[in-house]
Amino acid sequence: MQSSHESDRRPSSDVAGRVLVVDDDPTVSEVVAGYLARAGFTVYRAADGPGALAIAARHRPDLVVLDLMLPGMDGLEVCRRLRAHPRPAAVVMLTARGDEDDRILGLEVGADDYVTKPFSPRELVLRVRSVLRRAASATPHNEPVLAAAGLTLDPAARRATRDGAELALTLREFDLLAYFLRHSGQVCDRERLMREVWGWDFGDLSTVTVHVRKLRAKIEKDPADPQLIKTVWGAGYRFETDARPHGSSVGPAWGDNGRA
């Protein structure tokens, strides 16, 4: 089996974008590539990490559908190297494991989204479109800089800082923080965040929970006692522009099974 393939299908108009599918299972790779090609994407395929990096360097895909478990070089390392590029491609991670630690690891190294196997190819296409749509609309030229609680976000430059230090945020983390800043003081439940930030009317709500947790780790002084992104029991999350003294609380914290 060859480790890489040229484009499976190159539509006459490349408006949908270029997607690289990286999976060592030829059946999964072929099915996913087929669905994406029928959706209008130019699709490339690779079966291992080195092949994926070579194709990404040559063709500069807009998005990479990346399996976590790859021979030789795992998907986490591939994602790290892809994200190190000055203009990195978006990444949707595929994992056969449903363990939250794997999802967190994928998001931590820069994945914009994840899908757990087994999955619906149609849903994966929707996820890919959603990530690319968010990326395409994420560079407004007229939106003012957002600033509160020591945080500054420049939507046009896609740059965020905390107390002057630049934050390394993924696409989703940036969009999530921008949404919180625009709606500070409001309680936002996970369904609203999934709809407004992810652009989905369905999906695994734990995706939101994981992203909030990772965002807290990057912007809170003490992520275990968050003062900016507060959990509101039974309702959702609220961004506090005036962080309270450490140790104060608006209510008990609750886990992923709660209705956040």
Side-chain angles (χ1 to χ4, degrees):
M1 179 178 61
Q2 293 184 342
S3 64
S4 62
H5 306 259
E6 286 305 309
S7 174
D8 283 275
R9 180 173 175 181
R10 190 179 295 275
S12 57
S13 175
D14 198 24
V15 293
R18 299 178 302 279
V19 178
L20 169 59
V21 177
V22 188
D23 199 305
D24 64 327
D25 184 329
T27 301
V28 172
S29 178
E30 184 175 352
V31 170
V32 170
Y35 271 84
L36 289 167
R38 285 192 291 274
F41 293 96
T42 296
V43 184
Y44 306 93
R45 286 193 286 159
D48 57 31
L53 294 173
I55 292 176
R58 185 161 62 250
H59 296 290
R60 304 311 316 163
D62 301 297
L63 183 143
V64 180
V65 176
L66 179 62
D67 189 28
L68 179 63
M69 303 299 293
L70 292 171
M73 181 189 298
D74 67 21
L76 294 175
E77 181 59 27
V78 175
C79 186
R80 287 188 189 97
R81 298 192 186 193
L82 289 171
R83 300 301 296 185
H85 191 273
R87 297 182 64 85
V91 174
V92 174
M93 191 79 78
L94 299 180
T95 173
R97 302 182 234 168
D99 189 82
E100 185 183 273
D101 289 343
D102 293 317
R103 289 179 283 177
I104 291 176
L105 278 173
L107 297 173
E108 191 172 49
V109 298
D112 299 290
D113 198 3
Y114 65 88
V115 176
T116 303
K117 296 179 180 179
F119 57 86
S120 161
R122 290 187 180 88
E123 180 181 349
L124 177 60
V125 171
L126 292 176
R127 297 284 188 99
V128 167
R129 282 176 169 164
S130 175
V131 170
L132 289 176
R133 184 169 59 248
R134 297 296 302 184
S137 63
T139 55
H141 299 290
N142 301 323
E143 187 168 356
V145 171
L146 305 169
L151 295 164
T152 302
L153 267 74
D154 184 340
R158 298 292 291 180
R159 183 173 183 267
T161 62
R162 180 184 181 279
D163 297 330
E166 188 152 2
L167 295 169
L169 302 179
T170 67
L171 172 68
R172 294 294 190 190
E173 289 167 353
F174 188 97
D175 290 343
L176 183 60
L177 181 55
Y179 190 86
F180 277 134
L181 284 169
R182 294 185 191 108
H183 300 85
S184 61
Q186 299 180 19
V187 175
C188 304
D189 63 28
R190 292 193 297 177
E191 290 88 348
R192 173 179 170 181
L193 292 171
M194 179 163 281
R195 184 173 59 252
E196 298 294 331
V197 177
W198 275 256
W200 305 342
D201 292 319
F202 64 93
D204 182 0
L205 293 178
S206 67
T207 299
V208 178
T209 307
V210 172
H211 277 80
V212 168
R213 184 173 301 159
K214 296 309 301 177
L215 182 57
R216 279 172 168 162
K218 295 181 179 181
I219 69 170
E220 298 279 3
K221 292 183 178 179
D222 180 5
D225 183 19
Q227 302 301 302
L228 297 174
I229 304 176
K230 290 286 191 177
T231 298
V232 181
W233 182 261
Y237 303 104
R238 181 176 62 235
F239 186 84
E240 301 280 3
T241 54
D242 298 318
R244 297 172 180 165
H246 234 47
S248 62
S249 178
V250 296
W254 37 288
D256 294 346
N257 292 328
R259 186 174 173 76

